[in-house]
Amino acid sequence: SIQYAISSTQFVTLRVYDLLGREIVTLVNEEKAPGSYEVDFNPSSSIKNLISGIYFYRLQAGSFVETKKMILIK
């Protein structure tokens, strides 16, 4: 799961990318009220059959942008 918090109402985008920079899935793409959120990333049930490896997720909320690495182990 991916957790994040925002302090004011903002448009939030959360996307997952592979090592080559290809977008795998968009998990969040909507305006959110202030608060804490948790998004489950379950590739086996919702999207392509991903292999174990390194992926990146990018959170954008207003002018804030952060990219972090995650490891998928099957």
Side-chain angles (χ1 to χ4, degrees), residues 4-21:
Y4 65 94
I6 55 174
S7 59
S8 62
T9 301
Q10 297 180 14
F11 193 84
V12 176
T13 304
L14 178 60
R15 294 186 172 116
V16 177
Y17 297 90
D18 66 10
L19 274 175
L20 298 176

Side-chain angles (χ1 to χ4, degrees), residues 41-44 47-55 69-74:
F41 175 61
N42 187 356
S44 61
I47 56 171
K48 306 168 190 165
N49 192 11
L50 298 179
I51 61 171
S52 296
I54 298 173
Y55 294 87
K69 177 173 62 172
M70 66 179 167
I71 299 173
L72 176 65
I73 299 174
K74 288 191 162 188

